[in-house]
């Protein structure tokens, strides 16, 4: 029996994970993940393993997709200090600087 704390730490992709678990099973051993309580020696455990592995792969692909979209959005944006006009902190500072009693103190500090 091969035991891991989390199944998604065993491999970088669903394909690799399935190949590793298949290799473990061809050697006559089972696979068990402690965090997800998955045991591939039972039919229900194999089903849960495949569902969880597919979800983990989906999450990794979505993270990669969002990262690419963020890079594309940042590279296509005008160079105005990374669109700071949309930043909540920048809006707060702008409104604070507009008030007459705080503007002098802001620039002196």
């Amino acid at each position: 029996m091969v035991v891991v704390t989390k199944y998604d730490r065993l491999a970088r992709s669903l394909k690799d994970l399935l190949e590793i678990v298949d290799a473990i099973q061809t050697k006559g051993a089972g696979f068990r993940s402690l965090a997800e309580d998955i045991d591939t020696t039972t039919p229900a455990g194999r089903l849960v393993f495949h569902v969880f592995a597919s979800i983990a792969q989906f999450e990794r692909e979505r993270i990669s997709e969002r990262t690419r979209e963020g890079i594309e959005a940042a590279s296509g944006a005008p160079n105005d200090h990374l669109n700071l006009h949309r930043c909540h902190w920048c809006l707060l500072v702008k409104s604070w600087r507009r008030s007459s009693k705080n503007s002098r103190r802001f620039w002196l500090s």
Side-chain angles (χ1 to χ4, degrees), residues 20-51:
I20 291 169
V21 172
D22 187 45
I24 291 169
Q25 289 176 344
T26 57
K27 301 285 184 185
F31 172 78
R32 178 142 191 225
S33 174
L34 299 177
E36 294 84 12
D37 196 26
I38 297 172
D39 185 359
T40 61
T41 59
T42 66
R46 283 190 293 276
L47 172 67
V48 171
F49 167 73
H50 286 284
V51 169

Side-chain angles (χ1 to χ4, degrees), residues 96-97 99-109:
W96 191 48
R97 283 179 18 199
S99 68
S100 60
K101 73 177 191 178
N102 290 330
S103 64
R104 193 158 192 227
R105 186 172 57 175
F106 176 78
W107 289 108
L108 294 176
S109 60

Side-chain angles (χ1 to χ4, degrees), residues 52-92:
F52 282 1
S54 297
I55 291 170
Q57 179 69 24
F58 173 74
E59 288 176 359
R60 280 193 289 274
E61 289 174 4
R62 287 291 298 145
I63 289 169
S64 177
E65 186 178 273
R66 286 192 299 263
T67 302
R68 273 193 312 275
E69 288 171 357
I71 290 170
E72 289 172 6
S75 66
N79 191 8
D80 59 352
H81 304 291
L82 301 176
N83 277 335
L84 291 180
H85 64 279
R86 294 183 183 172
C87 172
H88 295 294
W89 285 104
C90 296
L91 293 175
L92 178 66

Side-chain angles (χ1 to χ4, degrees), residues 5-22:
T5 55
K6 288 189 80 173
Y7 68 89
D8 61 349
R9 298 295 172 210
L10 183 63
R12 303 265 310 154
S13 69
L14 176 60
K15 180 182 174 188
D16 291 340
L17 184 62
L18 293 174
E19 287 174 358
I20 291 169
V21 172
D22 187 45

